[in-house]
């Protein structure tokens, strides 16, 4: 396997899961600062022009929730998801879909507003609203989703590294994680794990 | 099972999958026109205030990709996903994550701009850009994702009803599906299936 990744991005969730799984893999750093993700070579590999992309002997996988599910299913001994329990897997997919389609999207309006509007005034409006939308997302996670000690309760899963990853963006989005005591405790619990530490050291800008 | 749903929304993908699975279920129509999805009773059930929400004997599942995966795993005889093939499942999760987190989000900027910005001028800017962003998404699906005859090739999966669902929004988003011949043929193939017809009849406004 070969992971195409970029420092500071949501790829951290994948790096943590690969560490958790004890997977061996190659990696290639895609330089966003040079717009390498929109270059012909990378687009041939991943026409979406985004990271992460995981190259396997069967082809490329994209999208964090999909790659996390793939790692969990490919390394069952790592026990990263309750693979045979359709309802529990549904809860995991739902949590990761919320991070991917609502929380990551809310965050992206701070730095990627040109995806959805053309005017500078619109981009500034979006940027102003990000602290509110991100806080609303994390309020919902704090009150309704995070069971503790791990996202799904007693069992550590592929959801935990993904939540921890998006927490890394809160400060830049002007949201104080201390407003969310359960999430803050979860982030500290994650940060104490050797797999997380190894992934974060590799990933940090 | 009880499905909380609203006419015209992405819930069509779930209705199709439930028909495909031969599942029996109750349903409750959530009246968006009365803002019922933001009312106390519904928020108690689904704090996200969105549909679909599938009530099971184990609890509530939300998010289209998660509910589709749950249906596929709960009704294995319906053969809606290659459950034991981690890579093929990864491709399915990746396709559905793209629809959920990129395509649905692009569409939502036409009618839900208040999620991400406050000014009327920003909402109008977003609305103007939707035909461009939706066309770009469908161009990528046409050229890089849809294998044919079904999304994943010869095998019909939970991806097909979801793509068909989002195609229903193209006309309202001012994108002509005829620009995408493979997707248009897929939509016609889907529309010819009795399960699709039953779901569409139930769902249409």
């Amino acid at each position: 396997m070969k992971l195409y990744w970029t420092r500071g991005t949501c790829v951290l969730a994948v790096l943590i899961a690969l560490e958790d799984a004890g997977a061996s893999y190659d990696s290639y750093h895609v330089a966003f600062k040079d717009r390498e993700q929109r270059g012909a070579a990378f687009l041939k590999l991943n026409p979406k022009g985004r990271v992460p992309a995981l190259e396997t002997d069967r082809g490329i996988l994209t999208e964090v929730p999909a790659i996390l599910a793939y790692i969990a299913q490919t390394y069952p001994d790592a026990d990263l998801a309750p693979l045979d329990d359709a309802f529990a897997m549904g809860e995991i997919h739902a949590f990761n879909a919320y991070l991917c389609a609502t929380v990551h999207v809310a965050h992206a309006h701070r730095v990627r507003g040109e995806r959805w509007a053309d005017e500078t005034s619109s981009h500034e409006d979006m940027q102003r609203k990000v602290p509110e939308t991100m806080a609303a997302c994390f309020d919902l996670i704090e009150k309704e989703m995070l069971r503790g000690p791990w996202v799904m309760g007693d069992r550590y899963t592929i959801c935990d590294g993904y939540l921890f990853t998006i927490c890394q963006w809160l400060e830049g989005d002007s949201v104080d994680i201390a407003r969310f005591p359960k999430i803050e405790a979860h982030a500290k619990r994650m940060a104490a794990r050797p797999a997380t530490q190894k992934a974060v050291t590799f990933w940090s800008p």
Side-chain angles (χ1 to χ4, degrees), chain A:
Chain A
M1 292 195 299
K2 186 171 181 179
L3 179 66
Y4 292 80
W5 71 290
T6 301
R7 259 180 276 282
T9 69
C10 59
V11 81
L12 176 60
V14 174
L15 292 170
I16 292 171
L18 288 167
E19 285 301 323
D20 287 333
S24 67
Y25 62 97
D26 296 324
S27 65
Y28 179 88
H29 188 266
V30 181
F32 275 24
K33 68 173 174 47
D34 302 328
R35 301 269 301 160
E36 188 179 358
Q37 78 275 24
R38 310 302 303 177
F42 188 71
L43 286 177
K44 192 170 173 187
L45 189 90
N46 177 15
K48 291 176 179 170
R50 295 192 188 167
V51 294
L54 184 68
E55 191 171 38
T56 78
D57 56 4
R58 299 265 303 272
I60 289 278
L61 288 178
T62 57
E63 309 283 349
V64 172
I67 295 174
L68 294 180
Y70 172 77
I71 294 168
Q73 193 169 357
T74 307
Y75 298 89
D77 292 347
D79 198 25
L80 296 174
L83 297 167
D84 298 325
D85 182 333
F87 180 78
M89 285 307 292
E91 291 189 308
I92 283 175
H93 291 311
F95 186 84
N96 288 351
Y98 183 71
L99 295 188
C100 177
T102 297
V103 192
H104 189 150
V105 167
H107 162 77
H109 281 74
R110 179 161 67 85
V111 285
R112 306 255 183 253
E114 78 282 358
R115 284 183 186 165
W116 303 291
D118 290 326
E119 305 294 335
T120 303
S121 61
S122 308
H123 302 158
E124 290 168 351
D125 188 5
M126 291 173 179
Q127 286 162 5
R128 281 193 300 274
K129 201 170 175 69
V130 166
E132 173 192 333
T133 55
M134 285 296 279
C137 290
F138 274 79
D139 198 49
L140 193 72
I141 295 169
E142 174 83 7
K143 289 179 179 156
E144 305 288 351
M145 298 186 190
L146 174 55
R147 292 173 181 161
W150 305 113
V151 169
M152 288 295 155
D154 290 333
R155 183 171 185 163
Y156 176 90
T157 69
I158 46 174
C159 298
D160 292 293
Y162 198 7
L163 174 60
F164 177 77
T165 295
I166 293 191
C167 284
Q168 307 309 305
W169 298 337
L170 285 177
E171 190 178 342
D173 289 344
S174 304
V175 177
D176 184 357
I177 195 172
R179 291 170 59 183
F180 313 103
K182 286 170 66 181
I183 296 172
E184 187 179 30
H186 177 270
K188 287 182 179 164
R189 206 170 286 126
M190 280 299 301
R193 302 177 73 250
T196 310
Q197 290 162 5
K198 194 169 168 192
V200 168
T201 301
F202 186 67
W203 169 85
S204 294

